[in-house]
Amino acid sequence: MASKKMADGGLPVVARFEVRHRNYLAPDGSINRPLPAFASDANLLVSLYRAMVLLRSFDRKAVALQRTGRLGTYAVSLGQEAVSVGIASAMRSEDVLLPSYRDNGALLWRGVNPEEILLFWGGDERGNHFSGPVEDFPFCVPVGSQAPHAAGVGYAFKLRKEPRVAVCLFGDGATSKGDVYEAMNFAGVHKLPVVFVATNNQWAISVPLRLQTGCETLAQKAIAAGFIGEQVDGSDVVAVRAAAEEAVAAARDGQGPRFIEALAYRLGDHTTSDDASRYRQEAEVQARWREEPIARLRAFLVGQKMWSKAEEERLAAECHERVEAAVERYLATEPRRPETMFDHLYAELPEVYAAQRRELAGEGDV
Amino acid sequence: MSEMTLVEAINLALARAMEDDPDVIVLGEDVGINGGVFRATAGLQTRFGSERVLDTPLAELLISGLCVGMAAQGLKPIGEIQFMGFLYPCIDQLVNHASRIRNRSQGRLTCPMVLRTPHGAGIRAPEHHSESTEAMLAHIPGLRVVIPSSPERAYGLLLAAIRDPDPVVFLEPTRIYRAAKGEVEDNGEALPLDVAFVLREGRDVTLISWGAMLKETMAAADALAVEGITAEVVDLATLKPYDEVTVLGSVAKTGRCVIVHEATRTGGFGAEIAALIAERSLTSLLAPVARITGYDTVIPMARLEQHMMPSVGRIVTAARKACQFS
């Protein structure tokens, strides 16, 4: 490391930094280190498991809908279900989530209905007027551009002395953007209650991590912003949840922001519009399947007698039923009338645009 | 009532808004103890504290993005961008978030923010300090773009912008920050947005402008009066959405129109107004609509900037030509 070389040259070291890696469950479900306290709560672990399975089941159906022309472009969470679910599980409902477009697991956990997510990806803004916490942000499509919002939300919490936390999710690609650094830097200056989470799934569409950064970790990017960055095994939902719990509690307690890099792997294509076989080897993907989060937690739960084959079958049926019901409601939702595209453009539509709205509604010429 | 400069009127409106509403927050580079590079925020931090008047890191994208996050939480952030040439990193936030969060969340989240920035050339500033790219902003749906041309309107329009429930970019005419003086009463009364102001009534030709260019436009109207031509001068004031009724009403009366702006001509906001008149008022025209604008070039540095900007002479000539057209 550069600082060490300078020290060897007789110059004083003015700062040293470390990045920790957190993992509890090995890929086979065995325990690598003593589990955090919450892991003694079988109900909680099972609910995390159920949420991940629901997400995967939902994703599978969403892709099927897209392939049959009943849904627009869709981004699956395959392989990284533990991140959005684990993070969201550590939040309170009064906290504010600022998700990227791949964080369905967090939205579902926070009470967004599956049909609302389908509505969004089916091209209807009403999907963003969802049943989750009313102050949560909608999916952010321009990569990383929601990070400054998280800092603004965190500033509002601090100003009003509210014990709430803003949690901002994005991917590895976003950490290359100034938006994310600017937001982290500001959050560091004011010790804001913000938790930044990078799901490092190794691929930003076709660009691998090694072309995204020269850093050993993404977590170390927090160091430049003046706060702790931790790397967690993002395929180990216990590790994600533990890191999130700690970070959210510290932020709520006024200790300032935290950054979590969740190391995962995007087992699927970037979106339904992508074909990852163009740029990565199948062998690489297959190797990563051995680490995936759902089988890992299932192996642990089964080993601990917290989960059975019968429960697994019941869960599969439940997820199927829930997703099918959501699809039914989604497909039954009539499109909005065209002129409603002007609704909520301004608090009150200026008369000049009201005329265009009338034209669209077939109520006379502009 | 007291006489003050335009920048003092801005300062007065900011102080008034902060006094009236604890949710109003001022943020930007050097807005704190330094009071802003143009002194628009002078004294605010001393009066309202560093939590409500905060010096941000030097990051313009951040300033605009913070405003979106704060506004979604119900605060009323007023971000300052030091010069319009530094506004461009904010375009992503303005286009993708500020202007559409209400629409894309179907009213669940809103964005009552103001982004203030100095506008225009003519103060012999360094490179990138003399921009007038208001047409770029006026192209963004869901946004308001406002520019005052006097201390009184700066005070009233800024209060309106701050109280407006939607995002407003508030452009401040740098060249007349101190050159424009006028009586302003600190009565907390806002002026209406989306409304043009008729600064001078006339019968023969309509002169439409905004911001600092109203100075030359009014001087041109004086010169034309000497020749017996009475010019109606319209201060557009809000560019997005703009007051079509006042524009069309004036042109219907005079039959002639000269649009004046210092921004470059192609795709400038004058083109929008000319198109509106062509679409809706062609038969009332007695002469072609004329645009007197900055030239289609990069705004030159100090030695040449005066040559880029519309002069009183160019405006008078265009108006005279319109009146002589047959």
Side-chain angles (χ1 to χ4, degrees):
Chain A
M1 282 166 60
S3 58
K4 198 172 171 205
K5 277 181 195 156
M6 281 195 289
D8 288 350
L11 297 172
V13 174
V14 293
R16 276 190 209 280
F17 306 100
E18 287 174 335
V19 175
R20 307 270 172 172
H21 179 90
R22 188 193 294 258
N23 161 263
Y24 300 99
L25 300 184
D28 64 0
S30 61
I31 299 167
N32 278 336
R33 42 183 279 113
L35 296 180
F38 72 83
S40 58
D41 180 351
N43 287 337
L44 174 58
L45 292 184
V46 167
S47 68
L48 292 169
Y49 180 72
R50 297 172 67 94
M52 292 197 294
V53 172
L54 174 67
L55 174 57
R56 190 169 291 183
S57 169
F58 177 74
D59 274 355
R60 201 179 299 121
K61 184 66 189 185
V63 171
L65 288 172
Q66 191 277 333
R67 296 295 187 231
T68 51
R70 292 176 290 171
L71 193 72
T73 298
Y74 182 79
V76 298
S77 301
L78 192 64
Q80 56 190 72
E81 292 91 345
V83 184
S84 56
V85 169
I87 296 289
S89 76
M91 295 173 65
R92 292 183 186 166
S93 63
E94 69 265 30
D95 294 336
V96 167
L97 177 76
L98 297 102
S100 83
Y101 50 79
R102 205 190 297 281
D103 297 312
N104 296 332
L107 272 74
L108 289 170
W109 184 279
R110 287 176 67 71
V112 177
N113 289 326
E115 61 266 32
E116 292 165 337
I117 296 176
L118 292 172
L119 208 51
F120 174 79
W121 292 107
D124 192 323
E125 288 81 357
R126 286 176 299 181
N128 282 334
H129 196 282
F130 51 51
S131 310
V134 71
E135 291 171 31
D136 276 10
F137 276 57
F139 293 113
C140 185
V141 173
V143 168
S145 60
Q146 79 278 34
H149 308 161
V153 169
Y155 193 88
F157 292 163
K158 189 176 178 197
L159 184 76
R160 296 191 299 236
K161 299 182 170 51
E162 294 172 351
R164 302 167 71 190
V165 180
V167 177
C168 185
L169 304 180
F170 44 80
D172 41 293
T175 63
S176 299
K177 288 192 73 172
D179 308 39
V180 170
Y181 176 69
E182 290 184 20
M184 286 171 47
N185 183 53
F186 181 78
V189 168
H190 291 279
K191 298 210 182 322
L192 300 181
V194 184
V195 176
F196 298 95
V197 181
T199 304
N200 180 358
N201 70 12
Q202 314 297 320
W203 292 93
I205 306 188
S206 67
V207 179
L209 188 70
R210 69 184 159 76
L211 297 180
Q212 206 65 247
T213 178
C215 291
E216 300 94 323
T217 68
L218 297 180
Q220 72 203 63
K221 297 200 172 205
I223 292 165
F227 52 91
I228 295 171
E230 177 182 310
Q231 190 182 68
V232 307
D233 183 336
S235 301
D236 172 5
V237 74
V238 177
V240 174
R241 158 84 190 205
E245 215 175 68
E246 222 178 272
V248 167
R252 200 184 308 285
D253 187 41
Q255 294 173 43
R258 291 278 186 99
F259 182 93
I260 297 170
E261 173 192 8
L263 270 181
Y265 190 81
R266 197 193 77 208
L267 291 169
D269 296 328
H270 163 65
T271 65
T272 49
S273 305
D274 179 41
D275 174 7
S277 71
R278 278 202 300 263
Y279 50 80
R280 66 181 186 186
Q281 299 298 317
E282 186 54 24
E284 175 186 314
V285 181
Q286 284 311 315
R288 292 298 194 132
W289 265 103
R290 286 197 290 273
E291 297 170 16
E292 70 95 2
I294 292 181
R296 183 184 306 209
L297 184 60
R298 187 193 308 122
F300 171 77
L301 292 175
V302 169
Q304 300 289 312
K305 308 275 185 259
M306 292 175 179
W307 193 246
S308 68
K309 190 152 185 266
E311 284 170 304
E312 181 72 26
E313 279 165 12
R314 266 205 303 281
L315 175 60
E318 263 174 50
C319 288
H320 177 78
E321 204 173 302
R322 188 162 171 213
V323 170
E324 289 300 325
V327 169
E328 212 168 287
R329 286 190 291 271
Y330 156 62
L331 293 175
T333 307
E334 291 290 325
R336 294 193 285 149
R337 291 184 55 80
E339 67 272 18
T340 63
M341 69 174 73
F342 282 101
D343 296 354
H344 306 295
L345 185 62
Y346 296 89
E348 192 180 337
L349 191 63
E351 178 50 34
V352 284
Y353 309 131
Q356 294 180 25
R357 189 186 193 280
R358 287 193 292 275
E359 181 192 54
L360 201 49
E363 295 165 8
D365 300 333
V366 168
Chain B
M1 195 85 97
S2 58
E3 182 170 80
M4 65 184 68
T5 64
L6 194 149
V7 72
E8 285 166 346
I10 299 273
N11 183 265
L12 196 64
L14 290 171
R16 164 62 73 158
M18 296 197 78
E19 187 69 49
D20 289 351
D21 185 350
D23 286 332
V24 174
I25 306 289
V26 166
L27 64 153
E29 296 155 9
D30 306 297
V31 299
I33 189 73
N34 191 45
V37 288
F38 285 103
R39 321 291 306 135
T41 57
L44 296 181
Q45 192 180 63
T46 309
R47 195 164 153 198
F48 299 104
S50 58
E51 287 191 331
R52 290 183 65 199
V53 182
L54 63 140
D55 283 317
T56 64
L58 207 164
E60 286 82 8
L61 184 161
L62 172 77
I63 294 168
S64 54
L66 283 174
C67 287
V68 174
M70 290 173 173
Q73 273 297 310
L75 295 178
K76 297 208 146 213
I78 306 169
E80 175 176 310
I81 302 299
Q82 257 172 13
F83 287 90
M84 197 169 190
F86 311 144
L87 177 94
Y88 306 126
C90 308
I91 296 286
D92 183 22
Q93 288 292 329
L94 291 174
V95 176
N96 283 321
H97 295 297
S99 63
R100 69 217 272 170
I101 195 164
R102 177 191 288 280
N103 185 259
R104 61 188 292 267
S105 72
Q106 293 291 285
R108 193 166 56 79
L109 298 175
T110 63
C111 194
M113 65 176 269
V114 177
L115 199 62
R116 300 174 36 244
T117 194
H119 168 276
I123 59 161
R124 305 184 65 78
E127 266 190 303
H128 307 286
H129 286 62
S130 305
E131 307 286 295
S132 48
T133 38
E134 66 272 16
M136 279 170 50
L137 301 167
H139 199 62
I140 304 172
L143 205 63
R144 275 192 166 75
V145 181
V146 176
I147 179 166
S149 65
S150 74
E152 181 199 7
R153 284 185 293 283
Y155 177 84
L157 290 173
L158 182 53
L159 279 181
I162 296 166
R163 293 170 190 169
D164 192 78
D166 292 305
V168 179
V169 178
F170 195 82
L171 304 171
E172 298 171 1
T174 323
R175 187 158 54 90
I176 58 169
Y177 255 152
R178 290 189 176 77
K181 291 192 182 71
E183 295 290 322
V184 177
E185 190 182 349
D186 185 17
N187 55 11
E189 279 178 27
L191 285 168
L193 300 177
D194 310 353
V195 168
F197 298 89
V198 177
L199 301 189
R200 176 178 180 136
E201 295 199 6
R203 294 178 310 274
D204 301 321
V205 59
T206 299
L207 307 180
I208 300 174
S209 192
W210 49 90
M213 263 299 129
L214 254 330
K215 190 175 166 211
E216 284 69 25
T217 305
M218 289 296 276
D222 286 341
L224 289 163
V226 175
E227 300 177 19
I229 296 172
T230 67
E232 180 143 304
V233 178
V234 175
D235 174 2
L236 207 56
T238 302
L239 270 63
K240 174 106 185 160
Y242 72 102
D243 182 353
E244 297 182 354
V245 174
T246 297
V247 168
L248 293 171
S250 181
V251 173
K253 180 169 73 171
T254 63
R256 302 176 186 89
C257 183
V258 178
I259 304 156
V260 182
H261 61 67
E262 72 175 78
T264 55
R265 174 172 308 203
T266 305
F269 202 72
E272 164 59 36
I273 298 168
L276 174 83
I277 294 168
E279 284 174 346
R280 306 268 289 276
S281 196
L282 189 66
T283 53
S284 68
L285 286 179
L286 302 171
V289 173
R291 284 181 290 163
I292 298 301
T293 70
Y295 296 110
D296 277 321
T297 174
V298 173
I299 176 80
M301 290 210 287
R303 287 184 171 184
L304 293 184
E305 68 178 345
Q306 293 304 333
H307 299 282
M308 155 105 176
M309 293 158 64
S311 62
V312 176
R314 280 172 69 197
I315 302 167
V316 168
T317 302
R320 194 187 291 136
K321 208 170 133 192
C323 291
Q324 290 164 353
F325 183 84
S326 58

